[in-house]
């Protein structure tokens, strides 16, 4: 989505993890990098960015939304005059998290993303590996990855990104357990780098 908006010269930015107003303001500053906010307080910076968004509409993509505070809701509502939209992506894997979401949905449209079937995930996995010039994945490895993805295409994207990291390989062998575990953690927490050390990988492979 971000690539599409930027290709059409629409200001757009992504917050990799959204847990406070500062994450939204940071994303807004990335969408409008020409706005000088150095030396300003958070309140002054927020106001300057909001006024810029009112003149030139843009899009905010707020991923891994873990909290939605009163300050965040108020700021997003004030953006309605000029901002094209703010999309909040929330990972929900339990009934408890689904109940928590009900309190966030005031005055908002909520769309539940459908899970992708295993066949579609497999096709997507092969296409992504080919696009990144990665070697072919063994069938059993592909099955393990698709099973761990549980229909989540975002999870699959993060897993493919990590497949390129040398930290998950040792002597030509892939530590699939560590890869899938770290992918799950990264998706839930918005992390980027590998969590498993080489020493830990060797121990698992040796076992």
């Amino acid at each position: 989505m971000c690539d599409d908006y930027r290709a059409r010269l629409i200001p757009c930015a992504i917050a990799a993890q959204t847990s406070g107003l500062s994450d939204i303001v940071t994303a807004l500053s990335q969408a409008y990098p020409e706005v000088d906010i150095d030396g300003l307080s958070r309140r002054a910076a927020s106001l300057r960015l909001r006024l810029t968004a009112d003149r030139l509409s843009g899009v905010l993509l707020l991923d891994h939304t873990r909290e939605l505070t009163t300050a965040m809701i108020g700021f997003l509502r004030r953006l309605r005059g000029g901002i094209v939209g703010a999309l909040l992506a929330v990972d929900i894997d339990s009934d408890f998290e689904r109940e928590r979401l009900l309190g966030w949905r005031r005055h908002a449209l909520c769309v539940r993303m459908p899970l992708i079937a295993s066949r579609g995930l497999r096709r997507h996995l092969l296409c992504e590996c080919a696009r990144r010039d990665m070697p072919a994945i063994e069938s059993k490895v592909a099955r393990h990855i698709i099973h761990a993805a549980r229909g989540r295409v975002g999870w699959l994207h993060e897993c493919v990104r990590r497949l390129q990291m040398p930290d998950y390989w040792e002597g030509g062998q892939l530590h699939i357990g560590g890869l899938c575990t770290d992918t799950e953690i990264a998706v839930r927490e918005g992390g980027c780098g590998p969590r498993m050390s080489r020493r830990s990988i060797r121990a698992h492979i040796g076992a």
Side-chain angles (χ1 to χ4, degrees):
M1 290 177 67
C2 190
D3 291 342
D4 179 64
Y5 285 124
R6 287 173 176 170
R8 291 188 280 150
L9 303 181
I10 297 175
C12 180
I14 298 177
Q17 184 171 348
T18 311
S19 57
L21 179 57
S22 60
D23 297 318
I24 298 177
V25 174
T26 298
L28 196 60
S29 67
Q30 293 170 353
Y32 299 94
E34 69 280 5
V35 178
D36 184 13
I37 57 174
D38 291 340
L40 297 179
S41 65
R42 187 176 70 177
R43 183 174 182 178
S46 301
L47 177 60
R48 182 172 293 186
L49 289 165
R50 181 165 59 83
L51 293 175
T52 302
D54 282 340
R55 293 192 300 269
L56 179 61
S57 298
V59 176
L60 292 181
L61 304 175
L62 308 177
D63 203 2
H64 298 292
T65 306
R66 306 182 67 83
E67 298 291 338
L68 199 57
T69 64
T70 302
M72 294 166 68
I73 294 173
F75 186 78
L76 290 174
R77 283 178 177 169
R78 287 194 295 272
L79 285 173
R80 286 183 177 179
I83 202 80
V84 172
L87 174 65
L88 289 84
V90 185
D91 297 317
I92 298 177
D93 285 326
S94 69
D95 292 335
F96 172 74
E97 292 171 341
R98 190 170 291 108
E99 288 297 321
R100 284 187 63 203
L101 180 64
L102 293 177
W104 294 2
R105 290 174 56 181
R106 293 169 295 179
H107 313 296
L109 173 65
C110 182
V111 179
R112 185 174 182 178
M113 293 297 293
L115 299 178
I116 297 180
S118 296
R119 180 177 297 179
L121 283 179
R122 178 180 292 276
R123 183 168 58 250
H124 197 67
L125 173 62
L126 297 178
C127 289
E128 281 296 303
C129 290
R131 186 174 68 85
R132 299 168 189 248
D133 294 325
M134 296 172 59
I137 297 180
E138 297 180 9
S139 296
K140 63 179 182 180
V141 173
R143 285 196 301 270
H144 193 118
I145 291 175
I146 292 168
H147 177 74
R150 292 186 286 131
R152 300 169 294 173
V153 68
W155 190 100
L156 189 67
H157 272 283
E158 176 64 20
C159 185
V160 172
R161 187 183 74 83
R162 288 172 175 270
L163 269 173
Q164 302 174 94
M165 298 180 181
D167 303 75
Y168 297 102
W169 297 85
E170 186 72 22
Q173 288 185 301
L174 172 67
H175 181 58
I176 187 66
L179 172 68
C180 291
T181 298
D182 285 357
T183 299
E184 188 70 32
I185 293 173
V187 166
R188 288 177 176 272
E189 299 182 359
C192 294
R195 291 174 173 269
M196 183 163 283
S197 66
R198 289 180 179 274
R199 180 180 298 176
S200 179
I201 290 177
R202 290 195 191 98
H204 280 277
I205 293 177

